[in-house]
Amino acid sequence: ALVDVRDEDSDPTNENQTVSQGTGITVNQTGQDFSVAVTNPIIALGRITAGTDNSSGATVVNNTGGSYTVTLSIAPAPANYVVQLTANSAIGARTIQVTNQTATEFSVQIYDGAGATADSDWYYTVIAF
């Protein structure tokens, strides 16, 4: 069989390929060359210490009593995202959870070891997918 020099096989039906970008992947074409890159899926992250917001990609409001509201800065808002939370407390165990999530914000609630709402230092990462 004859070998096609464009892709070194004998199948003449697979000579044209489609390259496209999607969520988290960019494609740039220069002539017949393509550069493909994975973009950063992290859209926001932060550290809340003593109620003070140290965030990138979002703002955090301390509603007191272990309740916080995080508003994402990215536009347009991602179709889907996950929130990873970590509580950090030197005075005992803490439980932290997302209590409400919309396209542009989410709420966080923190509880102490006895199950009562309580303020705490905490960290978060928001990942789009």
Side-chain angles (χ1 to χ4, degrees), residues 16-41:
N16 295 319
Q17 304 295 322
T18 301
V19 178
S20 60
Q21 62 187 25
T23 303
I25 299 173
T26 59
V27 177
N28 295 308
Q29 181 179 2
T30 305
Q32 293 297 315
D33 295 326
F34 294 87
S35 62
V36 179
V38 176
T39 57
N40 189 352

Side-chain angles (χ1 to χ4, degrees), residues 32-85:
Q32 293 297 315
D33 295 326
F34 294 87
S35 62
V36 179
V38 176
T39 57
N40 189 352
I42 297 174
I43 59 173
L45 54 95
R47 177 180 178 179
I48 313 307
T49 307
T52 301
D53 177 15
N54 296 297
S55 294
S56 176
T59 56
V60 178
V61 174
N62 183 348
N63 302 319
T64 69
S67 174
Y68 302 84
T69 302
V70 180
T71 303
L72 301 175
S73 304
I74 191 169
N80 294 296
Y81 66 90
V82 286
V83 179
Q84 297 178 328
L85 301 169

Side-chain angles (χ1 to χ4, degrees), residues 69-109:
T69 302
V70 180
T71 303
L72 301 175
S73 304
I74 191 169
N80 294 296
Y81 66 90
V82 286
V83 179
Q84 297 178 328
L85 301 169
T86 304
N88 181 18
S89 176
I91 58 174
R94 294 286 188 259
T95 302
I96 187 169
Q97 67 183 16
V98 172
T99 57
N100 185 35
Q101 183 174 337
T102 68
T104 58
E105 71 180 27
F106 58 93
S107 299
V108 172
Q109 186 65 60

